[in-house]
Amino acid sequence: MGRSTGVSPPPVGTTAGGDPATPPGPRRAARRGLSAAVGAALLVGAPLVVAVVAMTREPWLPVGDFAHMVFRTSQVGTAETPLVGAYSTKGWAHPGPLLFWLAAPLYRLSGGDPRSVEWTLAALNLTCLVALLLVAWRRGRTALLLAVSALAALLVHGISAGVLVTFWNPYVPLLPFLLTVVLVWDAGLGRWRSAALALIPASIAIQGHIAVGVLGAALAVWLVAWHRWADHLVGPRPDAGVADPGAGTRRVGRAVPRWVWAVVALMWIGPVADALFDIHNPLRIAASLVRADASLGPLRAVGVVGRHVRPDGPWTGGAEPVGTNLSVEGSGPLPLVGACLALAWCVHVARRRRLRDVGALATLTLTLLAASLPATAQIVLPAFSYLTVWLKVIGGLVWFTVAW
């Protein structure tokens, strides 16, 4: 027998320093979740990987808008570092330069190869798929992981892998926006950290294309309203205490690591600097809203949104006809009315059966569907299909909600 040292061993469940040890069960579950999410993302995102590999076989000489995007990326880190996003034909730029900033490192490392910006976008979209499916695994394990994987696969098919690796500001926000929606839904179900984490993909999406800003505002309105009235709609959560209107904000602040706020602040340095010292882009955007440019208008917007929320709509790869003026053609009001009625039925079922997750998802999707109308109505003619591609995400969300 060895001589006693006079030091008692640490209690079971603690480290040598006396701190509580992390139970091995949750660690194993987290590893399983990450492995499942990465595996599913690689399966769903396989077309993106194939598209990236195909790009490496031949050089690319960008022209037009693509040349502008690559040129602005090449300016990052110089005296002409972009502070705003891609310029439009309407006298203003999209909200922020984050797309250029994210693409610049690989652009420099590749020696200025223009294909590198599309490799960056493919990596960004695959990362969004992993994060999306990780939330699905944590929230609903295998069933929800498979369901969200099916939605993502349909959207990858409907949007096309070629679009999802094209470094162009109308295409960049698509999967980051979908991830933002899922994180906001997760926050509505009580995980307040997700509300702040959603700001990261939301910043990428909103800075990429201004139309997503309307949808981002709608998500914020929904989260506040859901926190205020969810208990009246579907009943209180089992762990709910006394109602406190300010509790949500305090929970977000306590639950989120400081690095998240630092990252979000860094992402918005460019737009803030521009608003204060450079071309004052927000004022230009505001001025364009009061000009009488020819736009789709509310009546045609109903038809265009309706086209995209059909069960067999463009989000599944369905028909997306264009008219003689190259504008996307609508399909009348009936598909939009049908989508609204289907979502209303989901809300009714959630209320009757006290299904909080279904109620949250249905009301969230209804909110986005309503916000899609003004966002579509302001599109300046001709309404090219690339200006409405974000509606494919809305269409997918509508029928995912109904199916779930």
Side-chain angles (χ1 to χ4, degrees), residues 20 54 59 138 218 262 288 298:
R138 183 176 44 75
S288 72

Side-chain angles (χ1 to χ4, degrees), residues 1 27 38 41 48 56 72 118 133 138 140 148 158 181 228-229 274 292 294 314 318 346 349 360 363 369 375:
M1 294 180 63
R27 282 204 299 262
V38 170
L48 278 69
T56 64
R72 295 292 277 166
E118 304 204 319
L133 296 173
R138 183 176 44 75
V148 175
V181 173
R228 176 65 180 82
W229 289 296
D274 165 74
C346 292
V349 171
T363 53
L369 191 56

